């Protein structure tokens, strides 16, 4: 069985133009599942190993809340977080 890492996923056409802005050390994490979320608390449904896809609209507004959001995802041992940019975030 072939293992897909976050770095491998970022080479896919679907992620063309993606840029790693934090967590480069996690690029070797294995992706067990891709999870597309539109809820403000996705960590309640994660088991670990997910590559979480979301938009800025689903994330908290303040920097402090964003830190808590990312920490909650990290505590669930996700493989990575992909946030789309352009409409809500530059």
């Amino acid at each position: 069985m072939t293992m897909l890492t976050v770095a491998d996923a970022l080479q896919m056409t679907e992620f063309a133009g993606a840029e790693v802005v934090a967590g480069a050390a996690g690029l070797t994490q294995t992706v067990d599942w891709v999870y597309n979320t539109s809820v403000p608390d996705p960590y309640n449904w994660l088991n670990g190993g997910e590559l979480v896809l979301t938009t800025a609209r689903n994330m908290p507004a303040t920097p402090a809340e964003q830190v808590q959001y990312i920490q909650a995802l990290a505590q669930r041992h996700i493989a990575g977080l992909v946030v789309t940019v352009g409409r809500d975030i530059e």
Side-chain angles (χ1 to χ4, degrees):
M1 175 167 56
T2 303
M3 300 285 227
L4 179 73
T5 66
V6 174
D8 296 333
L10 291 175
Q11 297 302 310
M12 299 172 81
T13 304
E14 292 80 2
F15 292 108
E19 180 182 345
V20 176
V21 296
L27 291 173
T28 59
Q29 291 291 325
T30 301
V31 176
D32 296 326
W33 191 261
V34 177
Y35 183 83
N36 186 15
T37 182
S38 61
V39 297
D41 56 349
Y43 34 82
N44 289 322
W45 293 274
L46 300 173
N47 297 311
E50 296 90 351
L51 180 60
V52 178
L53 312 178
T54 192
T55 67
R57 290 183 182 193
N58 302 320
M59 295 181 66
T62 69
E65 292 172 325
Q66 290 168 359
V67 167
Q68 290 174 342
Y69 176 90
I70 292 169
Q71 287 174 336
L73 291 172
Q75 289 173 352
R76 299 302 291 194
H77 305 286
I78 66 167
L81 173 64
V82 177
V83 180
T84 58
V85 295
R87 176 175 268 180
D88 299 311
I89 293 181
E90 291 300 321

